[in-house]
């Protein structure tokens, strides 16, 4: 992000701006998901870098809550179809919501998540801006220059502008183009067609599919908005935006960003911001996210299973044009292993400059340090212990003290422990939950061959020697070494040793939980407890 920060600061200096302005745009038309979060995190990380340099900077988030309500999502009463075409702020919130309207219902969780993530911003409601008349001069300018706007758009159109999906008021083929769309004052919807407009008086006439017809003065009328491809560059000029990224769909040839680059200068007298393309964000095991496709993971969902710094790191460690996935499955264990390893390298001074920078952007912002878990026990260990103990605090503390002998209480491993517990409850695959045998598998014990009996015997002989995570790790890996006459401190296992260890691990898993695999054996042993392990292996 340093390179973007350099470019943006220079662009602001060249324009003589008192502060750098970075911008994002979000539509609260449905759940604001983890893909949308990249629209916020990219400018945030640039703004944060600029703030660290002591340069005045502001991050704007424009809430596109004056956009039309397009469809009734799955799970919502079909009667909400009567609101299609109304502004999102004029649509009732989904049933059971405590919010006044549709936009507020979906905006609130995102605002809460951004607070957790340490993202400061100034929110701008487009409903508020249009309804208050803040954009009146820009709307009147766009209407006066409608032919020029139409000519610019025409060079990029791939089809005739009839029922333009961006909400254009082009009307029927051959009709005059208008870059403004009124919301009908009778039915509240945008099923309107402008029939005439006078530049001198600003007198505008429109008809609506509901049967209503009206003549208004656009210099006073506030029930309408510029169409998207005109609205976006208008805002760039109005807010003096220096940096705003956009997704692949807005960055292709002929797209909103390219067209906006001409409109902002030729019509509104502004400059196009620096606007890199950002790639899509996926979820492990899921296709590309879309709010309109139904339930999608949100930043709040991610923050229920991972710490803010870790979620920030997923966005901070990659360039905007690099796609990545966020793990809600067991890949989250590997993610946390990587984060803990990076944290340790940073603390030891052995991390690369790039890794140090990504860690710093993730763990703290220019304004504050983000909350962290005091003692970094492995996420996979916490999840395994919670799963085995079903969250019993006394049992959990007993087991974790075997992992970390300096652990005093469970608050030292929070919030990570609670996040892992949520993952176990909500996202751990049903067939991966661990159930320790209630009784020994006598048939399996009786059927063991001499080599297996000897391994189990060696294992039980040393079981009490060092009842800690490190001691049990050394034991489960060491018994097969003993069987092959190899030293315990052998660092590089031979193929024969690897095979022997795998065979021994499977045997222990079968005797303890009746499966070939499970939580890491040392963690499982700590959770089961020495007495019960002996009862299951030495019947």
């Amino acid at each position: 992000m340093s390179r973007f920060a350099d470019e943006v600061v220079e662009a602001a200096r060249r324009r003589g701006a008192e502060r750098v302005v970075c911008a994002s745009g979000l539509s609260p038309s449905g759940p604001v998901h983890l893909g949308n979060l990249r629209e916020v995190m990219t400018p945030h990380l640039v703004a944060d870098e600029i703030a660290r340099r002591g340069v005045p900077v502001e991050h704007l988030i424009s809430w596109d809550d004056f956009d039309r309500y397009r469809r009734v999502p799955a799970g919502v009463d079909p009667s909400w179809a009567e609101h299609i075409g109304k502004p999102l702020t004029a649509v009732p919130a989904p049933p059971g919501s405590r919010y006044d309207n549709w936009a507020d219902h979906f905006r609130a969780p995102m605002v809460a998540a951004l607070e957790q993530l340490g993202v400061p911003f100034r929110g701008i409601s487009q409903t508020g801006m249009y309804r208050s008349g803040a954009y009146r001069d820009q709307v009147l300018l766009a209407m006066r220059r409608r032919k020029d706007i139409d000519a610019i758009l025409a060079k990029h159109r791939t089809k005739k502008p009839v029922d333009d999906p961006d909400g254009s008021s082009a009307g029927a083929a051959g009709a005059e183009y208008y870059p403004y769309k009124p919301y009908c004052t009778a039915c509240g919807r945008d099923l309107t067609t402008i029939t005439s407009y006078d530049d001198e008086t600003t007198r505008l006439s429109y008809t609506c599919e509901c049967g209503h017809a009206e003549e208004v003065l656009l210099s006073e009328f506030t029930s309408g908005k510029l169409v998207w491809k005109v609205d976006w560059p208008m805002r760039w000029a109005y807010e003096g935006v220096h940096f705003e990224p956009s997704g692949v769909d807005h960055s292709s040839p002929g797209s909103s960003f390219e067209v906006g680059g001409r409109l902002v200068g030729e019509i509104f007298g502004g400059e196009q911001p620096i606007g890199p393309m950002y790639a899509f964000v996926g979820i492990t095991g899921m296709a590309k996210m879309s709010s309109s496709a139904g339930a999608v993971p949100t930043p709040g969902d991610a923050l229920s299973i991972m710490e803010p710094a870790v979620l920030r790191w997923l966005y901070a460690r990659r360039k905007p044009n690099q796609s990545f996935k966020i793990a809600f499955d067991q890949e989250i264990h590997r993610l946390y292993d990587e984060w803990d390893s990076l944290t340790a390298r940073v603390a030891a001074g052995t991390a690369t400059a790039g890794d140090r920078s990504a860690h710093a952007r993730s763990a703290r912002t220019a304004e504050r340090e983000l909350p962290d878990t005091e003692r970094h026990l492995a996420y996979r260990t916490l999840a395994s212990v919670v799963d085995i103990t079903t969250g019993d605090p006394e049992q959990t503390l007993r087991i974790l003290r075997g992992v970390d002998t300096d652990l005093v209480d469970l608050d030292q491993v929070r919030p990570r422990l609670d996040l892992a517990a949520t993952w176990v409850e909500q996202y751990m695959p049903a067939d991966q939950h661990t159930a320790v045998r209630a009784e020994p598998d006598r048939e399996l014990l009786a059927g063991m061959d001499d080599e297996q009996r000897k391994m189990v015997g060696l294992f039980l002989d040393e079981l009490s020697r060092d009842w800690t995570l490190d001691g049990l790790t050394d034991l489960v890996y060491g018994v097969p070494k003993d069987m092959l006459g190899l030293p315990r401190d052998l660092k590089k296992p031979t193929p024969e040793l690897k095979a022997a260890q795998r065979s021994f691990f499977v045997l222990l898993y079968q005797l303890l939980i009746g499966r070939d695999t499970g939580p890491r054996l040392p963690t499982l042993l700590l959770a089961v407890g020495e007495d019960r392990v002996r009862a299951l292996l030495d019947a």
Side-chain angles (χ1 to χ4, degrees), residues 200-481:
E200 295 298 322
T201 64
T202 74
R203 194 172 300 280
L204 180 149
S205 297
Y206 73 85
T207 60
C208 179
E209 291 182 16
C210 74
H212 180 70
E214 187 173 15
E215 186 178 90
V216 300
L217 292 178
L218 192 55
S219 56
E220 301 173 358
F221 187 71
T222 59
S223 182
K225 67 184 295 291
L226 293 173
V227 299
W228 164 245
K229 285 187 177 179
V230 182
D231 174 84
W232 196 17
M234 178 275 290
R235 288 191 236 163
W236 291 340
Y238 185 90
E239 301 290 353
V241 177
H242 302 108
F243 181 83
E244 182 171 5
S246 57
V248 176
D249 48 343
H250 290 311
S251 302
S252 56
S255 66
S256 304
F257 190 80
E258 181 178 354
V259 175
R262 289 195 58 187
L263 292 176
V264 66
E266 296 180 32
I267 304 300
F268 297 107
E271 289 189 35
Q272 186 176 33
I274 295 169
M277 178 202 77
Y278 59 82
F280 291 115
V281 176
I283 300 297
T284 300
M286 294 178 63
K288 171 190 162 186
M289 286 175 285
S290 169
S291 292
S292 62
V296 290
T298 66
D301 294 328
L303 289 168
S304 73
I305 61 171
M306 64 180 72
E307 291 155 282
V310 177
L311 182 56
R312 286 176 62 94
W313 182 53
L314 289 171
Y315 294 83
R317 66 176 176 169
R318 291 183 175 86
K319 296 178 181 178
N321 63 357
Q322 292 178 313
S323 61
F324 65 91
K325 291 185 177 182
I326 297 177
F328 277 71
D329 60 7
Q330 289 177 309
E331 278 294 299
I332 193 172
H333 301 160
R334 184 182 59 80
L335 167 68
Y336 257 92
D337 289 345
E338 291 178 359
W339 170 254
D340 288 344
S341 174
L342 170 61
T343 301
R345 293 199 307 276
V346 169
T350 58
T352 65
D355 282 346
R356 288 198 307 271
S357 177
H359 187 273
R361 293 186 182 117
S362 306
R364 68 192 68 87
T365 71
E367 291 189 345
R368 63 185 172 95
E369 195 92 11
L370 291 172
D372 189 20
T373 297
E374 180 181 341
R375 303 191 74 82
H376 284 194
L377 300 192
Y379 192 99
R380 69 175 72 242
T381 298
L382 296 175
S384 296
V385 172
V386 167
D387 179 41
I388 295 167
T389 65
T390 62
D392 179 84
E394 291 186 8
Q395 284 285 84
T396 299
L397 181 58
R398 174 186 66 80
I399 298 165
L400 293 181
R401 280 177 172 165
V403 178
D404 181 349
T405 55
D406 293 327
L407 189 66
V408 175
D409 57 51
L410 293 181
D411 285 342
Q412 292 177 288
V413 288
R414 289 193 167 101
R416 188 180 291 194
L417 174 64
D418 297 329
L419 297 170
T422 299
W423 180 82
V424 168
E425 179 184 355
Q426 297 185 9
Y427 300 104
M428 187 176 190
D431 62 354
Q432 295 300 312
H433 285 280
T434 303
V436 180
R437 288 186 183 277
E439 298 291 338
D441 186 336
R442 300 184 188 281
E443 183 178 349
L444 178 57
L445 288 166
M448 291 192 301
D449 59 31
D450 291 342
E451 184 174 335
Q452 289 174 323
R453 291 180 190 281
K454 186 175 181 180
M455 283 196 293
V456 171
L458 289 172
F459 175 77
L460 292 174
D461 287 343
E462 289 192 41
L463 195 57
S464 302
R465 183 171 56 83
D466 187 357
W467 190 258
T468 65
L469 187 68
D470 288 342
L472 292 171
T473 300
D474 180 70
L475 178 59
V476 296
Y477 282 90
V479 167
K481 293 178 182 178

Side-chain angles (χ1 to χ4, degrees), residues 110-122:
M110 185 61 169
V111 171
L114 293 178
E115 169 62 25
Q116 282 186 262
L117 287 165
V119 178
F121 66 92
R122 176 164 69 89

